[in-house]
Amino acid sequence: MAEIQLRNISKRWGSFVGVANFDLTIADREFLVLLGPSGCGKTTTMRMIAGLEDATEGDIIIDGKRVNNLDPKDRDVAMVFQSYGLYPHIDVYENIRFPLKVRKVDPATHDERVMRAARMVELEDFLHRKPAELSGGQRQRVALARAIVREPNVFLMDEPLSNLDAKLRVSTRAQIKNLSHELQVTTVYVTHDQVEAMTLADRVVVMKKGVVQQVGSPTEIYDRPANTFVASFIGSPAMNLITGRITHGTFAGHNVEIGGLDAPDGEVVLGFRAEDAALSDVPAQINGRLYTIELLGDATMLAVRAGREMVSVKAGKEFRAEIGDRVSFSVPTNICHLFDAGTGERIA
């Protein structure tokens, strides 16, 4: 097992900064998710850990050993890519066994290790098929088994579910979660999908333009986003963010007025989650017209046009109204989030 220390690592190509001053310790057996939009530096960070990219600055330490100058094959990490990377001319059994042959592991142990890995991802009935005969989800499970069979110190997973359809993504995500619990191996997982991050991670690192925005448990990041970028990136739907001004403890924006806030006067961004808003039969803190109504089965998601703002509100499944109807709702003061209007940083 392995602890990973990333000590102020940076990656630059000329004047372009891919990753800036990334400093973090990933605990032994931790499942860490690097989360952010395309181009934020999350895959570059993982590739530096793997040795597929050289760090411009900083130290990468795995299990107490500096590995900056080690080749990928000597770092004892196993990678799972979104493209599967399977060999089309050999069957599933041989694809899973391939890392053992390359690393010259005792052939007497191969069958037992391959069968164990195949059982973990429920592939026992597909071992003699070629990759072309498998579905996308089955191919991704072969890639997982090929990583498992190596018994590495570290798993690195680069958007492994992005090529799967919605249903397969859910089932494969559950499989990865179960494998993580069963194998207890330090894992770094890259994704742009905040649902994957929230469901899989012990801790999440949210990145933007090569810079770490926040590190914390999924609950911490959801409940106390460090800035407006994190607030808008985490959650489905994203947190409502309304620009306005606080005067004597009362926030006022377009068709929005919320009092009782413990904050200094000035321009702020007020945030709240869709599920924290409560519909009212009389004019309340926020008033507007229904823009869209989405039936989700267990709830009804409303988009409300409040002045210039579009606000998401989660109502009960029994809610009934028509697009264009006027609605009012309130938000408890104690769950409102306040951010600096200039910097976007959270106001304590």
Side-chain angles (χ1 to χ4, degrees), residues 180-298:
S180 171
H181 175 75
E182 196 170 334
L183 294 170
Q184 295 289 298
V185 174
T186 308
T187 302
V188 180
Y189 186 104
V190 164
T191 185
H192 64 273
D193 186 325
Q194 53 96 15
V195 174
E196 286 178 29
M198 297 293 285
T199 53
L200 290 172
D202 295 322
R203 277 194 304 165
V204 180
V205 178
V206 184
M207 299 182 69
K208 175 188 177 186
K209 295 181 179 178
V211 178
V212 173
Q213 303 294 306
Q214 187 171 2
V215 181
S217 70
T219 301
E220 290 167 350
I221 285 178
Y222 188 83
D223 289 344
R224 290 185 62 80
N227 53 42
T228 52
F229 174 79
V230 177
S232 64
F233 200 80
I234 298 292
S236 182
M239 181 181 285
N240 295 300
L241 297 171
I242 301 174
T243 302
R245 184 174 184 83
I246 290 183
T247 305
H248 305 307
T250 296
F251 174 89
H254 297 284
N255 288 23
V256 179
E257 186 171 306
I258 299 176
L261 296 168
D262 183 17
D265 290 359
E267 296 286 329
V268 299
V269 177
L270 179 137
F272 62 91
R273 298 283 182 193
E275 64 268 24
D276 291 328
L279 289 167
S280 172
D281 294 329
V282 297
Q285 295 168 327
I286 304 175
N287 305 283
R289 291 190 181 275
L290 280 176
Y291 186 78
T292 61
I293 303 170
E294 298 177 337
L295 304 178
L296 305 179
D298 63 332

Side-chain angles (χ1 to χ4, degrees), residues 8 11 22 34 38 44 55 58 85-86 95 118 134 185 200 234 240 244 258 271 279 284 310 327 339 341:
N8 302 108
K11 179 63 179 179
F22 192 113
L34 302 178
S38 296
T44 301
L86 305 181
N95 264 284
L134 303 177
V185 174
L200 290 172
I234 298 292
N240 295 300
I258 299 176
L279 289 167
M310 189 70 75
V327 292
F339 304 94

